[in-house]
Amino acid sequence: MGNIVISVLLLSLLLFVSTATSSTMSGGRKTYIVHMDKSAMPAPFSTPHDWYISTLSSLSSGDDIVPSPTHLYTYNHVMDGFSAVLSQSQLDQLQSLPAHIATYPESFAQLHTTHTPNFLGLKKHAGLWPASGFGNDIIIGVLDSGIWPESESFNDKGMPPVPDRWRGTCEVGAEFNSSHCNKKLIGARSFSKGMKQYGLNITEPSDYDSPRDYWGHGTHTSSTVAGSRVQHADYFGYAEGTATGMAPMARIAMYKVLFFNTSYDAAATDVMAGLDQALADGVDVLSLSLGFFETTPFDQNPIAIGAFAAMKKGIFVACSAGNGGPHSYTMLNGAPWITTVGAGTVDRDFAAHITLGDQELTVTGRSFFPENLFVSGVPIYFGNGNRSKENCEDNSLDPEDVAGKYIFCDSVQPDELSRTGAAGAIFMSTDSGQFLRPDDFNMPFVAVNLRDGKLVKKYIINSKNATVSINFQVTILGTKPAPQVAYFSSRGPDRQSPWILKPDILAPGVNILAAWVPNRASAPIGDDYLLTDYALVSGTSMSCPHAAGLGALLKVAQHDWSSAAIRSAMMTTAYLRDNANGVIIDMTTGVAGTPLDFGSGHVKPNKAMDPGLVYDVEVEDYISYLCGLNYTSHQIRVLTGTSKFSCENANLDLNYPSFMVILNNTNTTSMTFKRALTNVADSSSVYTAAVKAPTGMKVVVKPAIVSFAGKYSKAEFNLTVNIDVGSGVSPESDYIGNFGFLTWYEVNGTHTVRSPIVSAFAP
């Protein structure tokens, strides 16, 4: 589910901007970007360009040794101004002119590959990408809000003909016809009868009664899962680079089931129809960034029903975990035959560089302000001594005090600031602005952490004429720690199926750059909005297509694997430690997370291609699990589509790659799990078990050594867990009891197969 951090986002090749000053030229000359007030242009000049040239020619060189200013470019659209090579003396003269707004030295950039694939370790010439032909000929069905077919992310350059097995089509509707499809976007359908019956009138400008996307959500998720390579994608200068989907050679089929009606809703009848048609059309993978509240059993959940049918056909299904975090038992799409995906951050941030006074203090804060705005020497206001003004509370600031100035706030009320006439805002944030969204402000803003905020406050209080200069549109790579569990990502356990650990895995889902609808108001600027082709969006809606795309790659690379085997490979090879070498943290608390937050860990695609062993699950195993849930014969038939089954082996011990113990009104319990491992490596092997368990958890594995004669051979083992969490744990806190891990290590080999062991309190 998308938590729109608006504006223009998705996977992209990033342009990492450094703020290195240009090298000094002869006579101490340097290159500068100069922002001018176009409204101050004198009447005799017919164009800003003529005015800029004249202005430069009027600058004195000071002596015969220093050359005259050199004009490089005039900017009429990205900004009002120009770039030029100037000496220090010429720069000083220029900055003294009334029409001068700001000058900044030249900066330099390095291009990197699309950052999310890079963060995941995907490479052109080694690993899962080339092994899978970049998802060649896999067909991915996306159930969402539609698609914007003209986006460059859906161009079909270099794509081979559409597979003969494809049975789908492109429907004709409002602003959409069959010619909008190609060898990349091979199918597009719309399902709205349920919503129309509900009373929704689907007409422009509220939405399109066709597969065309009105909101941008479906365009974003589709380009994330399988978008083509697009150079120079960015969100108003942030995250600039080459955008590409997880499986760039895969085909996309859109099934529009979400329509705008004050909010985006999907009728169960429409979702079922979309899933039904996707299966009929012949998709190989399904990506669903939507979900239904799990207040009813799986047999009343259209996604659970449709996903079961898809699983029976060998279709890999990935779904978003939901945006109900950080609280426990907020999981959606928790059926065990679905790969449920939580959201994590990546090692990339968006920032602004702040300079106080005459370089008396320099700090960096978080910002998404969408203009190439350079603020130079602007007065900055702080309501020192008045707590209401210090916090910028409603109606506390006098417009006469702050008009035209930047405001510094201990905390912030965005709506209040926009009414003060202030030029912009800098505010302290306990989370360093981690929860900021691009559409939170309609004015320039920067969030700084508490340490830097205190330094800024000290400077303002001790300065007679405090001023600030700000350089926006900075993209920073390699931030630590990453990944972190996103605050909004829904946490386990799952209410309908607490005996299976959910989410399964974590994938990138914060500030993801991907394709967007170009006619949709995105970034607020004053009383207006800017438009964009690519937007930065956050949500488990964004993490889901990452996993679906990786599932598509694995399906090509390991074409004989079941959906359960693909999920198992992702889970048992996932990593637990971030790039600062600590356990993945929960961004809400700032401390190490638990498997209820991140499942088995963060997905690591190249390792998932070669997991060594998998925990496979057959259709009959899922039915036995439903029997263990005490589903009636009628419920099981509705859910599974068959009446030919037996509950003779009913149990809650599914052959899953994780182990879950539920504490029901007790702090102690014991449980024995039975598991079967399948060797998917090409050779025989031997594995030995190792357990890492905390105080209050005792684990015994029998046998502790398992052998495999060859590929697809199996071995069984039992794992007995004794839990005693004592009296110091509060079930109301986060429902976690304790957790450890079982790891199978290959003897004289490189494979490691890890599974979490978790105890949690019943809701």
Side-chain angles (χ1 to χ4, degrees), residues 344-373:
T345 64
V346 297
D347 63 340
R348 177 181 68 189
D349 210 347
F350 306 110
H353 293 320
I354 303 171
T355 302
L356 282 306
D358 188 17
Q359 299 188 357
E360 295 170 52
L361 175 66
T362 300
V363 299
T364 297
R366 179 176 279 110
S367 181
F368 298 95
F369 187 66
E371 278 194 326
N372 187 17
L373 177 68

Side-chain angles (χ1 to χ4, degrees), residues 298-332:
F298 293 137
D299 63 296
Q300 298 177 42
N301 186 317
I303 293 177
I305 295 171
F308 198 97
M311 175 271 299
K312 289 168 62 178
K313 288 179 172 287
I315 298 169
F316 178 77
V317 182
C319 292
S320 51
N323 296 340
H327 305 295
S328 296
Y329 283 104
T330 53
M331 189 63 47
L332 302 183

Side-chain angles (χ1 to χ4, degrees), residues 361 363 408-410 426-429 448-460:
L361 175 66
V363 299
F408 180 80
C409 307
D410 281 345
I426 302 171
F427 64 94
M428 272 199 305
S429 173
V448 296
N449 61 37
L450 293 181
R451 178 180 59 83
D452 289 343
K454 290 177 181 178
L455 294 174
V456 174
K457 187 192 304 185
K458 182 179 179 181
Y459 159 77
I460 298 172

Side-chain angles (χ1 to χ4, degrees), residues 12-20 107-115 118 233-234 237-242 347-351 353 364 473-479:
S12 109
L13 216 193
L14 295 179
L15 187 65
F16 174 73
V17 181
S18 66
T19 54
S107 61
F108 298 92
Q110 293 177 322
L111 282 173
H112 296 257
T113 185
T114 300
H115 191 64
N118 185 58
D234 71 288
Y238 296 101
E240 185 177 350
T242 300
D347 63 340
R348 177 181 68 189
D349 210 347
F350 306 110
H353 293 320
T364 297
Q473 293 186 325
V474 178
T475 297
I476 302 174
L477 298 182
T479 58

Side-chain angles (χ1 to χ4, degrees), residues 499-543:
W499 298 274
I500 301 295
L501 176 65
K502 292 287 181 172
D504 292 310
I505 51 169
L506 207 64
V510 177
N511 292 331
I512 304 301
L513 183 71
W516 199 246
V517 292
N519 64 345
R520 173 80 167 171
S522 295
I525 294 290
D527 295 328
D528 203 355
Y529 280 82
L530 301 179
L531 307 179
T532 179
D533 292 321
Y534 287 81
L536 289 168
V537 180
S538 294
T540 53
S541 279
M542 286 64 249
S543 57

Side-chain angles (χ1 to χ4, degrees), residues 80-117:
D80 293 320
F82 56 91
S83 56
V85 181
L86 305 169
S87 68
Q88 184 61 50
S89 173
Q90 293 161 352
L91 175 62
D92 292 341
Q93 295 172 61
L94 182 63
Q95 290 178 326
S96 68
L97 298 176
H100 173 268
I101 295 177
T103 298
Y104 278 81
E106 179 76 284
S107 61
F108 298 92
Q110 293 177 322
L111 282 173
H112 296 257
T113 185
T114 300
H115 191 64
T116 312

Side-chain angles (χ1 to χ4, degrees), residues 108 396 432:
F108 298 92
S396 66
S432 303

Side-chain angles (χ1 to χ4, degrees), residues 35-94:
H35 290 247
M36 299 289 282
D37 180 3
K38 190 170 67 173
S39 67
M41 183 178 71
F45 295 101
S46 59
T47 67
H49 175 78
D50 293 337
W51 176 40
Y52 302 151
I53 295 297
S54 176
T55 300
L56 287 172
S57 66
S58 70
L59 302 179
S60 170
S61 298
D63 55 56
D64 296 335
I65 300 176
V66 179
S68 299
T70 303
H71 173 267
L72 298 180
Y73 298 100
T74 291
Y75 305 114
N76 295 312
H77 304 288
V78 296
M79 54 171 274
D80 293 320
F82 56 91
S83 56
V85 181
L86 305 169
S87 68
Q88 184 61 50
S89 173
Q90 293 161 352
L91 175 62
D92 292 341
Q93 295 172 61
L94 182 63

